[in-house]
Amino acid sequence: MIKKVVSHLEEGFLSLLLVSMTLLVFVEVVARFGFNSGIHWAQEATLLMAAWFVLFGASYGVKVGAHIGVDVFVKMLPANTHRFFTLLAIVLCLIYCGLFVYGSWIYLSKMKMIGIEMEDIPIPKWIPMSILVIGFVLLIVRFLQLGWKVVIGQADGFHFADEAEESMEIAKDLQDTALGDPENKDSNKDKGDKS
């Protein structure tokens, strides 16, 4: 129940960011080219929303397996070796994210101490830039969850999006259509009869 609520909140937040960013850019383009005016803060707000979308979405991508990776070699390894290399990769990812959290924390604390504001939006710069820490902490949480699943045997790897496999399926469908697959001929004939 809680997992579903969290997933819906994550998806809703990412959708809100994407829709807001798209609408803001659309309104800005219409205002600029249609009415020879513009929204002076639109570019900065769009860049901030894009940063939030990417850094927040990265952890969601780990959760749902939407990242692209090359794991052909690792898949050929025996199960125990595959598990070892997956855990090693997770540890390296955790170190990478930890370094970014540390550096982001220092950066944000200096921004807060100095009191710099955004260029076009009158808010302190450290507030919208806090996604640096939030995004990488969420990535750490996702990598820890994945690592635990690998340790207890619920997962065997990162489960990357397999674009090569999807491309091969599309190529096979196109080839079947070009060669006149009997199944496709029948379905095309039915479509032609209905026209």
Side-chain angles (χ1 to χ4, degrees), residues 156-178:
D156 60 349
F158 280 87
H159 298 291
F160 294 120
D162 197 343
E163 285 190 344
E165 185 177 321
E166 292 171 11
S167 298
M168 293 307 292
E169 287 176 15
I170 292 170
K172 184 181 179 301
D173 290 344
L174 290 172
Q175 187 178 26
D176 289 346
T177 304

Side-chain angles (χ1 to χ4, degrees), residues 96-106 132-133 135-137 140:
Y96 178 81
C97 291
L99 290 171
F100 263 95
V101 167
Y102 176 73
S104 300
W105 185 263
I106 292 171
L132 292 169
V133 172
F136 283 103
V137 166
I140 288 172

Side-chain angles (χ1 to χ4, degrees), residues 72-149:
V72 174
F73 174 71
V74 177
K75 283 183 177 179
M76 294 184 337
L77 297 173
N80 287 338
T81 310
H82 183 175
R83 178 185 247 172
F84 169 77
F85 278 109
T86 299
L87 289 172
L88 177 65
I90 290 171
V91 168
L92 292 174
C93 289
L94 288 169
I95 291 170
Y96 178 81
C97 291
L99 290 171
F100 263 95
V101 167
Y102 176 73
S104 300
W105 185 263
I106 292 171
Y107 173 74
L108 290 177
S109 61
K110 288 184 179 181
M111 285 291 144
K112 186 175 180 181
M113 182 180 66
I114 295 170
I116 296 174
E117 286 192 348
M118 302 297 293
E119 288 182 27
D120 299 325
I121 304 171
I123 58 172
K125 192 171 188 172
W126 70 271
I127 293 173
M129 299 299 277
S130 64
I131 187 57
L132 292 169
V133 172
I134 294 168
F136 283 103
V137 166
L138 286 173
L139 266 173
I140 288 172
V141 169
R142 294 295 183 209
F143 286 129
L144 288 172
Q145 289 173 336
L146 179 62
W148 179 249
K149 285 181 180 178

